[in-house]
PDB file of all heavy atoms in Angstrom:
ATOM      1  N   ALA A 412     -11.165 -24.473  14.710  1.00 97.00           N
ATOM      2  CA  ALA A 412     -10.167 -23.545  15.132  1.00 97.00           C
ATOM      3  C   ALA A 412      -9.522 -24.114  16.379  1.00 97.00           C
ATOM      4  O   ALA A 412     -10.168 -24.516  17.352  1.00 97.00           O
ATOM      5  CB  ALA A 412     -10.783 -22.252  15.420  1.00 97.00           C
ATOM      6  N   LYS A 413      -8.191 -24.160  16.305  1.00 97.00           N
ATOM      7  CA  LYS A 413      -7.410 -24.668  17.532  1.00 97.00           C
ATOM      8  C   LYS A 413      -7.162 -23.557  18.538  1.00 97.00           C
ATOM      9  O   LYS A 413      -6.789 -22.461  18.182  1.00 97.00           O
ATOM     10  CB  LYS A 413      -6.120 -25.199  16.934  1.00 97.00           C
ATOM     11  CG  LYS A 413      -5.276 -25.912  17.975  1.00 97.00           C
ATOM     12  CD  LYS A 413      -3.942 -26.453  17.357  1.00 97.00           C
ATOM     13  CE  LYS A 413      -3.152 -27.199  18.395  1.00 97.00           C
ATOM     14  NZ  LYS A 413      -1.900 -27.860  17.850  1.00 97.00           N
ATOM     15  N   GLY A 414      -7.331 -23.880  19.789  1.00 95.00           N
ATOM     16  CA  GLY A 414      -7.229 -22.876  20.858  1.00 95.00           C
ATOM     17  C   GLY A 414      -5.870 -22.163  20.902  1.00 95.00           C
ATOM     18  O   GLY A 414      -5.832 -20.946  20.997  1.00 95.00           O
ATOM     19  N   SER A 415      -4.808 -22.923  20.838  1.00 95.00           N
ATOM     20  CA  SER A 415      -3.455 -22.299  20.978  1.00 95.00           C
ATOM     21  C   SER A 415      -3.220 -21.351  19.777  1.00 95.00           C
ATOM     22  O   SER A 415      -2.609 -20.230  19.969  1.00 95.00           O
ATOM     23  CB  SER A 415      -2.379 -23.344  20.987  1.00 95.00           C
ATOM     24  OG  SER A 415      -2.375 -24.190  19.872  1.00 95.00           O
ATOM     25  N   TYR A 416      -3.648 -21.697  18.598  1.00 96.00           N
ATOM     26  CA  TYR A 416      -3.439 -20.822  17.420  1.00 96.00           C
ATOM     27  C   TYR A 416      -4.313 -19.544  17.604  1.00 96.00           C
ATOM     28  O   TYR A 416      -3.875 -18.427  17.162  1.00 96.00           O
ATOM     29  CB  TYR A 416      -3.829 -21.595  16.117  1.00 96.00           C
ATOM     30  CG  TYR A 416      -2.957 -22.653  15.764  1.00 96.00           C
ATOM     31  CD1 TYR A 416      -3.297 -23.691  14.836  1.00 96.00           C
ATOM     32  CD2 TYR A 416      -1.669 -22.850  16.351  1.00 96.00           C
ATOM     33  CE1 TYR A 416      -2.428 -24.712  14.547  1.00 96.00           C
ATOM     34  CE2 TYR A 416      -0.814 -23.835  16.109  1.00 96.00           C
ATOM     35  CZ  TYR A 416      -1.226 -24.824  15.114  1.00 96.00           C
ATOM     36  OH  TYR A 416      -0.288 -25.804  14.772  1.00 96.00           O
ATOM     37  N   VAL A 417      -5.546 -19.732  18.047  1.00 96.00           N
ATOM     38  CA  VAL A 417      -6.476 -18.592  18.232  1.00 96.00           C
ATOM     39  C   VAL A 417      -5.831 -17.537  19.280  1.00 96.00           C
ATOM     40  O   VAL A 417      -5.780 -16.359  19.093  1.00 96.00           O
ATOM     41  CB  VAL A 417      -7.793 -19.069  18.748  1.00 96.00           C
ATOM     42  CG1 VAL A 417      -8.666 -17.795  19.187  1.00 96.00           C
ATOM     43  CG2 VAL A 417      -8.537 -19.784  17.662  1.00 96.00           C
ATOM     44  N   ASP A 418      -5.279 -18.086  20.330  1.00 94.00           N
ATOM     45  CA  ASP A 418      -4.588 -17.183  21.289  1.00 94.00           C
ATOM     46  C   ASP A 418      -3.306 -16.486  20.692  1.00 94.00           C
ATOM     47  O   ASP A 418      -3.065 -15.364  21.115  1.00 94.00           O
ATOM     48  CB  ASP A 418      -4.100 -18.028  22.489  1.00 94.00           C
ATOM     49  CG  ASP A 418      -5.328 -18.509  23.334  1.00 94.00           C
ATOM     50  OD1 ASP A 418      -6.440 -17.937  23.267  1.00 94.00           O
ATOM     51  OD2 ASP A 418      -5.158 -19.573  24.095  1.00 94.00           O
ATOM     52  N   GLN A 419      -2.687 -17.148  19.798  1.00 94.00           N
ATOM     53  CA  GLN A 419      -1.454 -16.522  19.176  1.00 94.00           C
ATOM     54  C   GLN A 419      -1.876 -15.454  18.142  1.00 94.00           C
ATOM     55  O   GLN A 419      -1.348 -14.307  18.123  1.00 94.00           O
ATOM     56  CB  GLN A 419      -0.545 -17.517  18.481  1.00 94.00           C
ATOM     57  CG  GLN A 419       0.112 -18.494  19.430  1.00 94.00           C
ATOM     58  CD  GLN A 419       0.765 -19.674  18.701  1.00 94.00           C
ATOM     59  OE1 GLN A 419       0.582 -19.815  17.445  1.00 94.00           O
ATOM     60  NE2 GLN A 419       1.363 -20.567  19.401  1.00 94.00           N
ATOM     61  N   VAL A 420      -2.916 -15.785  17.311  1.00 95.00           N
ATOM     62  CA  VAL A 420      -3.237 -14.823  16.279  1.00 95.00           C
ATOM     63  C   VAL A 420      -4.110 -13.707  16.911  1.00 95.00           C
ATOM     64  O   VAL A 420      -4.005 -12.503  16.382  1.00 95.00           O
ATOM     65  CB  VAL A 420      -4.079 -15.535  15.187  1.00 95.00           C
ATOM     66  CG1 VAL A 420      -4.524 -14.666  14.182  1.00 95.00           C
ATOM     67  CG2 VAL A 420      -3.249 -16.696  14.590  1.00 95.00           C
ATOM     68  N   TYR A 421      -4.840 -13.955  17.985  1.00 94.00           N
ATOM     69  CA  TYR A 421      -5.704 -12.877  18.622  1.00 94.00           C
ATOM     70  C   TYR A 421      -5.237 -12.850  20.092  1.00 94.00           C
ATOM     71  O   TYR A 421      -5.936 -13.306  20.945  1.00 94.00           O
ATOM     72  CB  TYR A 421      -7.176 -13.228  18.423  1.00 94.00           C
ATOM     73  CG  TYR A 421      -7.562 -13.356  17.000  1.00 94.00           C
ATOM     74  CD1 TYR A 421      -7.764 -14.562  16.413  1.00 94.00           C
ATOM     75  CD2 TYR A 421      -7.887 -12.220  16.266  1.00 94.00           C
ATOM     76  CE1 TYR A 421      -8.167 -14.682  15.095  1.00 94.00           C
ATOM     77  CE2 TYR A 421      -8.252 -12.347  14.868  1.00 94.00           C
ATOM     78  CZ  TYR A 421      -8.412 -13.554  14.314  1.00 94.00           C
ATOM     79  OH  TYR A 421      -8.832 -13.616  13.022  1.00 94.00           O
ATOM     80  N   PRO A 422      -4.117 -12.172  20.345  1.00 91.00           N
ATOM     81  CA  PRO A 422      -3.671 -12.177  21.729  1.00 91.00           C
ATOM     82  C   PRO A 422      -4.376 -11.227  22.689  1.00 91.00           C
ATOM     83  O   PRO A 422      -5.214 -10.409  22.141  1.00 91.00           O
ATOM     84  CB  PRO A 422      -2.140 -11.780  21.574  1.00 91.00           C
ATOM     85  CG  PRO A 422      -2.229 -10.865  20.324  1.00 91.00           C
ATOM     86  CD  PRO A 422      -3.237 -11.454  19.405  1.00 91.00           C
ATOM     87  N   GLY A 423      -4.132 -11.300  23.874  1.00 84.00           N
ATOM     88  CA  GLY A 423      -4.729 -10.353  24.832  1.00 84.00           C
ATOM     89  C   GLY A 423      -5.921 -10.923  25.613  1.00 84.00           C
ATOM     90  O   GLY A 423      -6.334 -10.363  26.608  1.00 84.00           O
ATOM     91  N   ARG A 424      -6.471 -12.002  25.121  1.00 87.00           N
ATOM     92  CA  ARG A 424      -7.633 -12.620  25.853  1.00 87.00           C
ATOM     93  C   ARG A 424      -7.409 -14.155  25.765  1.00 87.00           C
ATOM     94  O   ARG A 424      -7.984 -14.867  25.073  1.00 87.00           O
ATOM     95  CB  ARG A 424      -8.860 -12.196  25.089  1.00 87.00           C
ATOM     96  CG  ARG A 424     -10.192 -12.744  25.769  1.00 87.00           C
ATOM     97  CD  ARG A 424     -10.775 -11.830  26.806  1.00 87.00           C
ATOM     98  NE  ARG A 424     -10.872 -10.474  26.507  1.00 87.00           N
ATOM     99  CZ  ARG A 424     -12.047  -9.864  26.235  1.00 87.00           C
ATOM    100  NH1 ARG A 424     -13.208 -10.532  26.241  1.00 87.00           N
ATOM    101  NH2 ARG A 424     -12.127  -8.532  26.042  1.00 87.00           N
ATOM    102  N   PRO A 425      -6.459 -14.689  26.530  1.00 87.00           N
ATOM    103  CA  PRO A 425      -6.122 -16.130  26.487  1.00 87.00           C
ATOM    104  C   PRO A 425      -7.338 -16.957  26.896  1.00 87.00           C
ATOM    105  O   PRO A 425      -8.118 -16.570  27.759  1.00 87.00           O
ATOM    106  CB  PRO A 425      -4.969 -16.271  27.417  1.00 87.00           C
ATOM    107  CG  PRO A 425      -5.086 -15.139  28.330  1.00 87.00           C
ATOM    108  CD  PRO A 425      -5.610 -13.992  27.597  1.00 87.00           C
TER     109      PRO A 425
END
Side-chain angles (χ1 to χ4, degrees):
K413 186 176 179 179
S415 60
Y416 293 163
V417 171
D418 291 339
Q419 291 169 358
V420 177
Y421 301 100
R424 185 90 47 109

